[in-house]
Amino acid sequence: MLKKNKGNAHSGEWSYHYWKKTAFTASLDKKITGLSNGTYQLSVWSMGGGGENAIKLFARGFDNSEKEISAQIKNTGWKKWKQYSIEIPVQNGEVEIGIFVDANKENWGNLDDIELVKLN
């Protein structure tokens, strides 16, 4: 859920925060169209308590195949922000980007400053 809490944001006052009393999975994703072909970098800043089964930054649908590019995210503590990124070779003018979380009960974290930037 998007939460306003400057103390849990990498920059600004808002970040995407997750936590639940029971185990859960969640996906935050968006399809972007109208892109010029080329290489893009997708990045996100993450921090949290750790212990999740998996957290990944991903991109798919960038070349008319079912290929997915991803980077594993590992949280190591409160305010221990780390940036993760992947390079995406967009060949069809679009891409679906996102973050997937597979969490155990009471795992928590914050994601912020998600950017998609064209490199060339």
Side-chain angles (χ1 to χ4, degrees), residues 66-84:
E66 303 215 5
K67 183 178 178 182
E68 179 178 280
I69 298 171
S70 65
Q72 297 302 309
I73 295 172
K74 182 173 175 74
N75 289 326
T76 60
W78 185 57
K79 296 214 180 219
K80 292 185 178 180
W81 288 100
K82 185 171 179 190
Q83 187 178 40
Y84 297 87

Side-chain angles (χ1 to χ4, degrees), residues 70-115:
S70 65
Q72 297 302 309
I73 295 172
K74 182 173 175 74
N75 289 326
T76 60
W78 185 57
K79 296 214 180 219
K80 292 185 178 180
W81 288 100
K82 185 171 179 190
Q83 187 178 40
Y84 297 87
S85 64
I86 55 177
E87 288 190 7
I88 309 161
V90 174
Q91 299 172 15
N92 61 354
E94 62 185 41
V95 63
E96 180 184 355
I97 60 172
I99 299 162
F100 174 77
V101 178
D102 179 359
N104 295 300
K105 67 179 183 174
E106 298 184 358
N107 283 154
W108 63 272
N110 291 277
L111 304 160
D112 202 3
D113 295 329
I114 300 168
E115 294 183 311

